[in-house]
Amino acid sequence: CRERKLHAAKNLMSKNNDSCEYEYRKCPPCEQGMFSGDQNRRVVMPTPSLRNMPQAAQGALSMKLSAKLTGVFGTLLVLMLTLGMYGNYMFGDILTDVEDVTTNWLPSIKSLGEMRGALNSVRRAELQHIIADTNAAMDDEERAMEKARADFADKARKYEKLISSDEERRIYTKMKTDADTYIAVLPQIIPLSRAMKTEEAREVSVRKARPAFRSALQGIMELVELNDKGSQASGQQVEDSAARARLVNLVLMLVSMLLGIAATLYIIR
């Protein structure tokens, strides 16, 4: 058996040396120990090469490879597109929250602070007017009072454009009513103060002006607290969106890497 196979292998080597590849194998009788002698002797068995395969078989292999490549790269492209679209969506969500903080909450808090300062300036000028003992001092306080009142009205108009909820509008409406009530009392105080009727002017200030003034200040502080909570909520949304986007991006990257490795192994099989 071994000699016949060896003789056949030599004939094949001499005839098909340029078109065959060979591998060395033991013949079954040798593997089973049926013959004595050199047990390590090998015979050459021909293995057909790809270029000697029929055209139909070569085309089938080529189509199989192209199908693998198409599926692999198509999957990777879909993952890349998903990653890009999700990142763009989350980026837009974060920008919306940031814009809400920078264009609504922070300007609102700034305007409220300016309104509070203007209203305090009006109150301070009123009290200084009551205790003033010269017409020149009273004139100065009246000018300061008028300037602060105009400043308060201007800041209130700007703030009104930034109102973003019904609750905020309700608080603002009450605060504005209280502020207008306070300012409406001033024309009653100024004539008494100019007439040097200090006690009567002080009584009107304490009995009528002070409650409305304090209520208006309380409304401003409620609006500040409301806007502060809104800015904190928007900031928390920004943090949550960024953390979620980071996690999803990391997961998609890992999935892409694993699929890339799996695709490589799938192709080279």
Side-chain angles (χ1 to χ4, degrees), residues 28-49:
C30 292
E31 291 179 351
Q32 297 174 6
M34 297 176 62
F35 296 96
S36 60
D38 185 7
Q39 298 299 321
N40 296 322
R41 192 171 183 180
R42 301 290 188 269
V43 294
V44 182
M45 301 299 293
T47 301
S49 118

Side-chain angles (χ1 to χ4, degrees), residues 55-152:
Q55 292 295 328
Q58 294 184 22
L61 289 178
S62 299
M63 289 178 62
K64 186 177 179 181
L65 181 59
S66 64
K68 287 183 178 181
L69 292 175
T70 301
V72 168
F73 285 107
T75 303
L76 293 178
L77 287 175
V78 170
L79 281 175
M80 291 174 61
L81 181 62
T82 302
L83 182 61
M85 292 181 64
Y86 182 79
N88 185 66
Y89 168 77
M90 294 305 300
F91 186 67
D93 194 17
I94 292 173
L95 283 181
T96 299
D97 292 333
V98 171
E99 183 179 0
D100 193 30
V101 172
T102 57
T103 62
N104 182 20
W105 301 118
L106 292 182
S108 295
I109 293 175
K110 179 182 178 182
S111 296
L112 288 170
E114 293 171 343
M115 289 167 60
R116 182 184 180 187
L119 198 61
N120 278 324
S121 296
V122 174
R123 179 65 171 170
R124 185 166 51 250
E126 172 213 336
L127 297 177
Q128 291 293 329
H129 192 285
I130 293 174
I131 65 176
D133 54 2
T134 64
N135 288 330
M138 291 181 183
D139 290 341
D140 290 340
E141 297 304 328
E142 286 180 14
R143 285 192 293 269
M145 192 183 306
E146 185 62 28
K147 182 178 181 300
R149 184 169 56 182
D151 190 34
F152 175 81

Side-chain angles (χ1 to χ4, degrees), residues 176-245:
K176 189 67 166 54
T177 300
D178 293 335
D180 292 341
T181 301
Y182 164 67
I183 292 174
V185 178
L186 297 179
Q188 302 176 29
I189 297 174
I190 292 175
L192 295 174
S193 178
R194 278 197 172 275
M196 296 300 176
K197 297 180 180 181
T198 304
E199 291 301 324
E200 295 179 12
R202 183 181 294 113
E203 182 181 358
V204 174
S205 175
V206 171
R207 184 169 51 88
K208 294 183 178 181
R210 185 170 66 181
F213 170 76
R214 288 181 174 178
S215 181
L217 281 186
Q218 180 63 31
I220 291 177
M221 294 307 299
E222 290 179 6
L223 289 171
V224 170
E225 183 178 358
L226 180 66
N227 282 273
D228 182 60
K229 290 181 179 179
S231 63
Q232 291 181 4
S234 294
Q236 186 63 43
Q237 289 179 1
V238 171
E239 293 180 3
D240 293 342
S241 297
R244 186 166 57 253

